[in-house]
Amino acid sequence: MTVSLSGKRVWVSGHRGMVGSAIVRRLQEENCEILTAGRNDLDLTDSAAVDAWVQTNKPDVSIVAAAKVGGIMANDSLPAVFLYQNLMISANVIHASYRGGVEKLLYLGSSCIYPRLAPQPIHEDSLLTGPLEPTNEWYAIAKIAGIKLCQAYRKQYGADFISAMPTNLFGPGDNYDLNSSHVMPALIRKMHEAKLASSPSVEVWGSGTPLREFMYVDDLADACIFLTKTYSDAPHVNVGSGDEISIRDLAHLTAKVVGFEGDLVFDASKPDGTPRKLMDSTRLHDMGWSGKHGLEDGLRLAYQTFLAEGARGEVRAINDGISTFEPTGARAVNS
Ligand code: GFB
């Protein structure tokens, strides 16, 4: 069953985040009306407000990019925030979309939904087959609940709700706050600042041995639109790049791209997290989709946008102590 976006009202929740803003950019190539709601206009943890917003704005399609996200330290140190906010956002947006008669919904999760020691590459069927990685189990549980909500509404009501699980992402609009960011933006910022200050070394968290798979966020956005239009089934779909690298090698690659020539100092007091997280994206590739950006060329683009956004963007502290990078490129089309 394929869905045309032509002439449709497409709601992107979370449009100011890295993923949501990439989806808005990608949707501008479609002949559709993009609906967004700013954080001050709609609190996604408030079920009555979300329901009322959907009843008023009547989206045909709902893309759920809204989430409280962060890197390993943010996830590990704010378990209540990550569990509560993500449960509420997922439940409210999915339920309101169902009540509002949305014809298609795409829910976005994360590769951390899988067991810490899942066989690699991780197939979709590994879900709920073993214990989660403790540093991000709170976020993972909320995201698993989101997948199950989509499956439950499909099973009970026949709703065309699907979900996609992206690998670790990076790109324009990323969060560069060193306490809450993921590894890629942290390394870009640390190395850029060390280069400017002629610092002899940069600190890299953990042992450097964990392996991660990275995808440029505009590739994810393209996969999301592809799945929204063409995929209609209960199982969630992995969205990975196959670009796997150790944190040590990533640090060396980032140093090369940024032009930092000092030493790397590994801080073993910081957590490594899961040892390896490579997704099996065979299902998506067999549907006919593939990404465009390799790791190094994506990293160069990310560094370019970091330089541009660093001058134009703002780092905004929000009430739970996590800072969120606010890209200036995403604009509310109808908020
Ligand atoms: O990207 P990251 O924070 O998240 O960390 P996860 C990946 C690896 O990079 C870990 C190491 O082994 C970190 O110890 N690392 C090295 C650093 N230096 C740094 C640094 O300066 N900052 C950061 N942040 N890491 C997250 C989950 O896990 O991945 C989320 O917590 C989500 O729930 C997300 O799934 C995609 O890949 O470990």
Side-chain angles (χ1 to χ4, degrees):
M1 186 164 73
T2 58
V3 167
S4 168
L5 297 182
S6 187
K8 299 282 170 61
R9 294 167 65 79
V10 182
W11 176 29
V12 181
S13 48
H15 73 286
R16 296 189 75 184
M18 176 174 69
V19 170
S21 56
I23 290 170
V24 167
R25 276 197 299 283
R26 174 61 184 79
L27 280 172
Q28 282 160 356
E29 296 168 26
E30 303 287 324
N31 178 30
C32 65
E33 186 180 354
I34 304 167
L35 307 183
T36 61
R39 193 185 292 265
N40 293 336
D41 301 323
L42 178 59
D43 175 0
L44 294 174
T45 65
D46 178 340
S47 36
V50 177
D51 201 55
W53 190 90
V54 170
Q55 297 295 329
T56 302
N57 290 278
K58 301 185 172 34
D60 302 302
V61 175
S62 174
I63 300 182
V64 191
K68 170 62 69 187
V69 298
I72 193 166
M73 291 296 270
N75 269 267
D76 201 25
S77 53
L78 299 168
V81 168
F82 275 78
L83 182 54
Y84 172 75
Q85 291 200 14
N86 286 304
L87 280 173
M88 294 300 284
I89 291 168
S90 303
N92 290 343
V93 175
I94 291 169
H95 186 64
S97 295
Y98 162 66
R99 278 189 22 91
V102 159
E103 71 180 80
K104 183 84 182 208
L105 178 144
L106 171 72
Y107 178 77
L108 279 158
S110 161
S111 57
C112 71
I113 58 162
Y114 293 113
R116 170 183 165 80
L117 299 177
Q120 309 279 322
I122 313 173
H123 190 268
E124 285 90 348
D125 292 345
S126 288
L127 184 64
L128 296 173
T129 57
L132 297 165
E133 157 61 32
T135 55
N136 60 34
E137 64 180 319
W138 320 97
Y139 180 72
I141 290 280
K143 286 293 169 187
I144 292 169
I147 297 171
K148 291 294 166 191
L149 278 167
C150 291
Q151 293 174 348
Y153 281 65
R154 172 177 289 275
K155 182 173 174 174
Q156 186 173 342
Y157 304 125
D160 191 359
F161 291 2
I162 62 172
S163 52
M165 299 304 117
T167 192
N168 286 35
L169 302 166
F170 68 99
D174 214 337
N175 168 19
Y176 293 96
D177 173 71
L178 295 180
N179 292 318
S180 60
S181 71
H182 291 96
V183 60
M184 182 86 87
L187 292 178
I188 289 174
R189 177 173 171 179
K190 286 195 242 188
M191 291 187 183
H192 176 73
E193 291 179 352
K195 181 180 78 168
L196 295 185
S198 301
S199 303
S201 63
V202 154
E203 183 190 275
V204 182
W205 293 357
S207 64
T209 60
L211 292 158
R212 292 291 183 274
E213 179 191 27
F214 292 96
M215 176 177 262
Y216 190 66
V217 70
D218 284 5
D219 280 344
L220 170 74
D222 192 60
C224 288
I225 302 311
F226 174 83
L227 288 169
T228 301
K229 289 192 208 175
T230 63
Y231 181 72
S232 176
D233 208 346
H236 61 281
V237 180
N238 287 346
V239 184
S241 62
D243 274 327
E244 188 183 38
I245 189 169
S246 71
I247 298 304
R248 178 182 297 275
D249 288 348
L250 177 70
H252 284 295
L253 182 62
T254 310
K256 181 177 118 179
V257 166
V258 171
F260 169 69
E261 292 177 345
D263 296 329
L264 304 179
V265 176
F266 289 88
D267 178 359
S269 71
K270 297 287 197 310
D272 270 345
T274 193
R276 192 178 180 201
K277 203 164 44 168
L278 174 65
M279 298 215 292
D280 181 343
S281 301
T282 306
R283 290 187 63 212
L284 177 63
H285 295 148
D286 285 352
M287 291 177 214
W289 183 88
S290 57
K292 295 188 181 70
H293 298 89
L295 178 58
E296 183 165 345
D297 87 88
L299 185 48
R300 288 186 189 283
L301 288 172
Y303 184 46
Q304 282 166 18
T305 50
F306 165 78
L307 293 173
E309 286 175 347
R312 292 185 293 115
E314 58 183 286
V315 175
R316 187 171 55 85
I318 54 176
N319 59 9
D320 55 18
I322 297 180
S323 295
T324 304
F325 185 79
E326 294 289 339
T328 50
R331 200 170 300 124
V333 179
N334 179 14
S335 55

